[in-house]
Amino acid sequence: MKVKDLIRDLLNVGEKGANVARIIRSEHTLLELLVQEKIGEQKNERFVQDFKTLADVLVQQIVFHDLSQKFPGIKDSIYGEESNKFTNALGESINVEILSSPAETADLLCKVLNGNEQAANLLAKVVHEDISYNPEEKIDKMEDLEIKEDDIGIWIDPIDSTAQYIGGEVGIPNNQGFVSHGLQCACVLIGVYSKLTGLPTGGIINQPFSSQDPQSGRWLSSCQWGLNLEGCIKSSVTDTPEKITNSHQILLTSASDTVETKDKFSQVYTIHHAAGAGYKLLCVIQGLADAYVLSKNSTFKWDMCAPHAILLSLGGGVISYKSLCELAQNNLSSNKKFGDCQITYIREDNSESLDPKNWCNSDGVVAYRSIEALQRLISAVKTC
């Protein structure tokens, strides 16, 4: 496959997923009907309530269906956060799939939606639409670099920050330009990794609720992409020097992280919180923050793969929190050592278990936009 075709298709399927998320979110009664609490091994222990919505399942199935149709060789190497099983109000367990025609998909969704034909037809129409998301000149001019379908895998987080998506509040940007919570924190994350190295090689982040049209009030997407392959390192990200300079004093953490972790960096950085791992990583990518630090084991491979690929394309990366502490302790500063510490994404276990613990970043994460940003973090740890 041509790499530029893969990036185009990731953008297209990400926007189709964003369309589904917006349609479901625009109907409040429909959203309430579709929310279903995760139970058993799929439940994230971090949350009192951890929700799965039909939007999550549909977006994941869209990515699986569309990419498998275009690139059959990757069909068995597409992994996501969600099971495609959904239980309707009658207690019937239904495998949500994208079928060969809108009518067939609508019939299936009608069972999930307890006979709501209008909603099922609307969703099926969007699911089967051909989407072309704003092709960029950078992609058109990209070299005709080829990659083997058998050599890559894909991680999907269909709607990261589901709680913010369900809540539906509109976040108010702070002076730094990002929100602490709200619909803007919801992101569709699709990351590609190399089966040979485990490192991310490409990815897209679609923000379905990035901005609102001032006249219609309709939500619009924004999307970032990055490619990190030998011989081809490109991204959609454009730098604003003033913004990047100002970000040096800002560190993003999770509100649930430990007081000890926050105190460790508070002498060097102004600490900010924001919802959603994907959104915090997006803020680092956009230069709104210098880095994102999480000492806890509450993120997963599907959260990190796509943003990690974009950060690598910018000269940054994602390492574990444990590795950051070891770098500081051992006084290591070479770029090679930084590269050796990158989180990897190979799915070695071929079981069908959806237990999040299998794919957890158990040693925490540290995302940074540049080697200089990582060096500042190391210095901050050393001064504690």
Side-chain angles (χ1 to χ4, degrees):
M1 72 172 82
K2 290 184 179 180
V3 173
K4 63 183 178 183
D5 291 339
L6 176 61
I7 294 296
R8 281 199 193 97
D9 281 294
L10 292 179
L11 288 167
N12 292 341
V13 77
E15 180 64 7
K16 186 186 287 190
N19 285 343
V20 170
R22 284 189 289 262
I23 287 171
I24 291 178
R25 192 64 194 78
S26 66
E27 297 290 340
H28 183 67
T29 55
L30 182 59
L31 181 66
E32 286 184 335
L33 173 68
L34 299 176
V35 172
Q36 180 181 85
E37 186 178 356
K38 292 180 182 176
I39 58 174
E41 67 175 11
Q42 295 180 56
K43 187 175 179 65
N44 183 341
E45 293 177 356
R46 178 182 159 201
F47 301 105
V48 176
Q49 288 182 310
D50 190 9
F51 294 105
K52 178 173 70 179
T53 68
L54 182 58
D56 280 306
V57 179
L58 269 182
V59 172
Q60 185 164 296
Q61 289 305 304
I62 286 169
V63 177
F64 177 81
H65 175 270
D66 286 16
L67 293 183
S68 296
Q69 291 286 310
K70 188 69 179 287
F71 309 110
I74 65 174
K75 182 177 181 179
D76 294 328
S77 300
I78 303 176
Y79 312 115
E81 179 182 7
E82 303 294 350
S83 163
N84 71 330
K85 289 183 173 59
F86 202 88
T87 304
N88 66 12
L90 299 176
E92 299 171 324
S93 182
I94 300 162
N95 288 335
V96 177
E97 299 175 287
I98 311 302
L99 300 178
S100 58
S101 71
E104 291 175 289
T105 301
D107 286 343
L108 179 66
L109 292 176
C110 197
K111 295 177 183 178
V112 176
L113 295 165
N114 308 312
N116 189 331
E117 293 184 11
Q118 182 178 1
N121 287 327
L122 177 61
L123 289 173
K125 180 177 181 294
V126 176
V127 162
H128 284 272
E129 280 180 343
D130 289 329
I131 297 292
S132 180
Y133 180 77
N134 189 26
E136 295 192 41
E137 189 175 342
K138 284 184 182 179
I139 298 174
D140 293 335
K141 291 184 176 180
M142 196 181 293
E143 301 89 339
D144 285 334
L145 190 65
E146 297 273 346
I147 188 170
K148 293 181 180 179
E149 294 180 13
D150 290 343
D151 289 345
I152 63 171
I154 291 177
W155 280 107
I156 312 161
D157 190 341
I159 301 181
D160 188 60
S161 199
T162 310
Q164 299 301 315
Y165 171 68
I166 293 169
E169 288 187 53
V170 178
I172 305 301
N174 58 23
N175 292 335
Q176 285 72 41
F178 57 86
V179 300
S180 62
H181 67 282
L183 279 170
Q184 296 97 317
C185 298
C187 296
V188 178
L189 310 174
I190 310 173
V192 182
Y193 69 89
S194 165
K195 290 182 180 178
L196 302 177
T197 66
L199 291 172
T201 55
I204 67 102
I205 303 175
N206 188 302
Q207 197 181 6
F209 304 94
S210 176
S211 61
Q212 285 181 286
D213 184 287
Q215 295 183 335
S216 67
R218 186 170 66 92
W219 283 102
L220 306 172
S221 292
S222 69
C223 195
Q224 301 287 357
W225 60 270
L227 184 65
N228 178 58
L229 283 170
E230 186 176 351
C232 190
I233 298 175
K234 296 184 183 295
S235 80
S236 60
V237 183
T238 54
D239 288 347
T240 302
E242 180 182 356
K243 180 168 63 176
I244 302 304
T245 301
N246 291 340
S247 75
H248 292 175
Q249 291 79 40
I250 297 173
L251 182 70
L252 287 172
T253 66
S254 170
S256 67
D257 211 338
T258 65
V259 173
E260 179 185 7
T261 300
K262 296 171 187 177
D263 287 346
K264 185 175 291 187
F265 297 96
S266 62
Q267 295 181 13
V268 177
Y269 295 96
T270 300
I271 306 295
H272 286 269
H273 302 145
Y279 180 69
K280 286 190 279 287
L281 286 154
L282 178 61
C283 290
V284 176
I285 288 167
Q286 293 174 325
L288 301 174
D290 202 32
Y292 161 43
V293 169
L294 178 69
S295 65
K296 301 177 70 176
N297 61 344
S298 53
T299 66
F300 303 88
K301 300 304 182 187
W302 49 74
D303 295 315
M304 293 289 148
C305 189
H308 192 172
I310 301 173
L311 284 167
L312 285 173
S313 75
L314 298 172
V318 179
I319 64 174
S320 71
Y321 183 76
K322 179 181 178 181
S323 293
L324 174 67
C325 295
E326 289 174 349
L327 287 169
Q329 183 179 2
N330 297 324
N331 200 31
L332 298 175
S333 59
S334 74
N335 289 0
K336 183 178 185 302
K337 290 294 181 183
F338 296 160
D340 291 343
C341 294
Q342 297 299 307
I343 288 175
T344 57
Y345 297 87
I346 292 175
R347 177 167 170 152
E348 296 175 351
D349 180 3
N350 292 321
S351 73
E352 295 300 317
S353 174
L354 292 172
D355 187 344
K357 293 177 183 175
N358 289 345
W359 319 114
C360 177
N361 298 310
S362 56
D363 293 323
V365 293
V366 174
Y368 55 94
R369 201 178 189 277
S370 65
I371 294 298
E372 293 74 21
L374 179 55
Q375 289 170 330
R376 283 190 287 273
L377 288 167
I378 293 172
S379 297
V381 174
K382 286 180 180 178
T383 59
C384 296

